[in-house]
Amino acid sequence: MTQAPRSLDVSTDDLRYLVAVARVGRMVSAAALLGVDHTTVRRRLDRLEAALGVRLLDRGADGWQLTAIGRDVVERASRLEGLVEQVVAAASGSDVVRGTVRVAAPDGFGAVFAAAALARVHTEHPGIAVELVTSTKPLSLRGSGFDLVVSIGSTAGSRVQSELLTEYSLRLYASPEYLAARPPIRDLADLAGHDLVFYVDALLTVHELDLAPVLGDMRLGFGSTSVFAQLEAARAGAGIGLLHAFMAEGVEGLAPVLPGAVDFRLPFTLSTRPDSPAVDAVAIVREALRDEVARRRAELLPGG
């Protein structure tokens, strides 16, 4: 019969190595974070798995992924980092909130809103290190190392705590030169035959953004995974862009097209990883993101 692991056989320092790998997904990156070489990380994890008698990590396409048991272990072990920070604060007589918070967000929201909120957090709380990762594709909190994720649409999964952060508008815009060279666009039927500037259909992984069919007979003329490239392509006359209003409204070189008829409202969802070690720091960043969108609601929903 297999002997159950004993708590004395499990090194809390080895658990710290596991948490580091769970955070960054790669042993080399975790080694740099911990100030050791990657063979040390591998050796510590082997020892931890041997002590627990279970497999904690599997190699995936994008690095190391936690097993189901590994996720449960990390969820509990992550609290050790918070306890250590509290011990350090108590010993130094300081109540400064410390910790690293990694935020994932779509590139447009990340650059325009999240960056401002995170910069303010770091200024007001120097003990908090902030990291921003931008991507349009859905990002899973499970085993990914993100503490907070802003995503388009709803987030599925019982292991995350999600809330509506804000809605935002997608509207049509084109360069004045593009519009002047073509017949006037007075209603949706007049969009037929125009080139659409939007996401690459084949690479669109967020179903809420599958909006091109709603625009009738427009054809995708310029596709990009970057909303910044979409905006610049529309300004350069590549077609009519279905763009984030918070990026395109009032921008020089862009004019609204059918603003009263085309106004898609999509949600940004904010999800929190429940096993994040920097609980207090995550709460501060979450509140900063909420404040940022509340204060700038007019940019997200112009005229709304």
Side-chain angles (χ1 to χ4, degrees):
M1 184 172 66
T2 304
Q3 185 178 4
R6 301 182 307 162
S7 59
L8 291 177
D9 295 331
V10 179
S11 165
T12 54
D13 203 38
D14 292 346
L15 287 169
R16 185 168 63 93
Y17 279 68
L18 175 65
V19 171
V21 174
R23 172 172 289 275
V24 298
R26 298 184 182 277
M27 290 196 187
V28 173
S29 300
L33 187 67
L34 295 166
V36 299
D37 59 75
H38 74 279
T39 58
T40 299
V41 176
R42 176 72 269 181
R43 185 173 66 253
R44 292 297 195 97
L45 294 178
D46 287 343
R47 187 170 71 179
L48 180 60
E49 288 183 334
L52 293 174
V54 294
R55 187 163 185 79
L56 301 171
L57 291 162
D58 286 324
R59 183 181 288 278
D62 298 322
W64 291 93
Q65 300 292 325
L66 292 167
T67 63
I69 294 177
R71 288 193 295 273
D72 287 339
V73 171
V74 167
E75 184 172 347
R76 291 162 174 77
S78 295
R79 301 167 191 167
L80 290 171
E81 290 189 4
L83 289 173
V84 170
E85 292 291 350
Q86 293 175 29
V87 169
V88 171
S92 62
S94 170
D95 58 357
V96 173
V97 177
R98 300 182 184 276
T100 298
V101 179
R102 178 175 293 179
V103 178
D107 56 349
F109 180 89
V112 179
F113 290 91
L118 297 182
R120 189 170 66 254
V121 166
H122 185 62
T123 299
E124 297 175 356
H125 303 274
I128 299 178
V130 290
E131 299 174 351
L132 176 62
V133 179
T134 58
S135 175
T136 300
K137 69 178 182 179
L139 293 166
S140 171
L141 283 163
R142 189 174 65 184
S144 63
F146 298 111
D147 300 292
L148 293 163
V149 169
V150 178
S151 55
I152 300 170
S154 58
T155 301
S158 59
R159 297 184 63 87
V160 297
Q161 301 165 354
S162 299
E163 61 185 287
L164 174 66
L165 181 59
T166 182
E167 288 188 325
Y168 72 100
S169 287
L170 283 168
R171 297 180 179 180
L172 295 174
Y173 299 87
S175 71
E177 294 78 13
Y178 177 94
L179 296 173
R182 291 161 177 80
I185 300 174
R186 297 188 177 91
D187 54 39
L188 289 173
D190 293 332
L191 294 174
H194 282 275
D195 286 335
L196 176 66
V197 178
F198 200 47
Y199 289 96
V200 180
D201 285 343
L203 300 178
L204 194 57
T205 55
V206 180
H207 69 85
E208 285 87 353
L209 289 172
D210 189 15
L211 299 172
V214 185
L215 295 174
D217 295 325
M218 291 189 76
R219 58 181 183 270
L220 184 66
F222 184 100
S224 175
T225 56
S226 166
V227 294
F228 295 98
Q230 293 170 21
L231 186 145
E232 292 304 324
R235 289 179 66 183
I240 300 175
L242 183 56
L243 306 174
H244 295 59
F246 64 77
M247 296 177 63
E249 192 73 18
V251 170
E252 184 179 357
L254 284 175
V257 177
L258 300 178
V262 179
D263 185 6
F264 296 108
R265 302 288 178 94
L266 296 182
F268 280 131
T269 299
L270 178 61
S271 300
T272 308
R273 194 181 76 188
D275 61 343
S276 175
V279 177
D280 293 338
V282 169
I284 289 172
V285 172
R286 185 174 64 242
E287 193 59 33
L289 290 170
R290 289 171 175 160
D291 289 346
E292 191 72 19
V293 299
R295 185 170 56 83
R296 300 169 62 184
R297 178 178 171 80
E299 295 177 50
L300 291 151
L301 299 168

